[in-house]
Amino acid sequence: MIELFFLATEIFIIVFTLYLFVYKKELAIIYIPTLIFAQTVITPVLPAMTYYIIFTLFILYFIYNNISFLRENPFTLALLLYYAVLLTQSPDIESIRAPLFSVAWLLFAIPLIISIYRKFEREILLKELSQAAFIILLIFVVNVAISTFVGYAPNAMYGITTGILYGNLFATDFNVLSLAIFVVLIRAVNQKSIIYFLLFVISFSFVTLSLRRSVMGLAAIGIAVAVLLLLTQRSLLKVVAFSGIVAILGFAIIANTSFMTVLIERYEHRNLAERELEEEKRFLEYEVLYEDMFIYEDYSPWFGYGLFDSAGNYGKGIFEERTLHSDLTNMAHSTGILGVVLYLLMIFTIFWKSYKGSTTRTDRLIFFYCVVVFMVYTTTGRYTTIENIWFIVLLLMLPVAKQRETENHTFSLKKDKPALKKDVNLHKLPA
């Protein structure tokens, strides 16, 4: 049964790819995280090169229609050239092929998203973004249902091998779910969509049982931001109705299922004392890298050790084959201080463009949520799992979209009060 699900999902990826090329055209950039997430869920039959070709063709198509896209973020070009230079020094390009392609796609995508967004009205982008998030959560829920039914858990994340299972999904594969949950919830409330709301409830429940604390926490913050968005619109009735429905559903789930029992069992089984030790290692990485670069001078602090090659190659093997977890330490080891600075300048540029374009309190709240999500995932790591950063940029850059003069550019919330004028300038692929 699981093989049939994988095959059906892989067929969906190919058919949906053709559909995006034919009908969505440049708007297909919104659905790339959906395709990548779908590919992550399955054990593919097609060779890995198929997916490299698909996503590379998408990037080339977007570039063809947006020749001057690099003007939107010149630090992207600097990073691409820098990675190209470092790549010539890599002893084994084959072993780093997957992260290399992923990061290259992301670097191209960041300015491309901005360039494409300027061509479309905000409401169109919001609709497409909601649909992309819906498909992500639908694939996630079906994957969980089938994996649970057949007992499929090859990764045994946190030792979970019974009950609700997640199939091939592991660790940072979950990250994009918090953003998808947020977008689907906003759409559910404002369109009064029962289907979207039920998908939100089921997805949030499954994410909670995964015990991925960063994803759980960010999804919960997303719910709080959604409530604040409604309050911003002075939709007190909607807030009361939403809170009531959530309370009723929550009580029903707890009363009629073993949700709380399973959650408590998994919490105890995860052994958080051991996890605290793992997190201590994550923060110890900064000290270890400092000693490597400036005390022992094992490799250049400016250019790093080598692209995507941290396993066993830092701290004189103190953590054996454990790779660096935090994004900043990983980048510092891979590309040195120069690479980290260029990356931060690129990220600062997109956040600054979003902040400058934000003219309502709704924009500011979404901006705030994106800042929090980015900071958390940068700390917890794996920027090579690009779906979540890609999705952050898709959400973050909504203020640069074309806006109708006669409509408020909100998340379909009708009476958003504009910010005061004086405040405008303040706001995995297979190897």
Side-chain angles (χ1 to χ4, degrees), residues 37 137 140 157-158 166 169-182 203-223 270 369 372-373 376-377 380-381 388:
F37 181 77
L137 294 187
F140 170 65
M157 187 174 65
Y158 309 136
Y166 301 91
L169 293 180
F170 183 78
T172 53
D173 296 335
F174 286 80
N175 287 0
V176 73
L177 296 175
S178 61
L179 293 150
I181 286 172
F182 172 68
S203 300
F204 184 72
S205 300
F206 285 165
V207 164
T208 301
L209 290 177
S210 74
L211 291 186
R212 284 292 302 169
R213 288 174 295 171
S214 58
V215 183
M216 293 162 54
L218 291 172
I221 291 173
I223 295 173
R270 188 175 173 186
Y369 180 64
V372 172
V373 174
V376 170
Y377 286 156
T380 55
N388 61 88

Side-chain angles (χ1 to χ4, degrees), residues 28-77:
I29 199 167
I30 294 175
Y31 292 89
I32 300 301
T34 304
L35 291 174
I36 296 176
F37 181 77
Q39 188 274 329
T40 303
V41 164
I42 67 174
T43 301
V45 174
L46 295 173
M49 188 55 63
T50 304
Y51 295 97
Y52 292 123
I53 293 173
I54 287 174
F55 296 120
T56 300
L57 285 176
F58 268 120
I59 294 296
L60 292 175
Y61 174 75
F62 300 143
I63 292 174
Y64 176 77
N65 289 283
N66 300 271
I67 299 298
S68 60
F69 74 103
L70 287 171
R71 295 178 183 175
E72 299 289 355
N73 197 326
F75 297 109
T76 299
L77 176 60

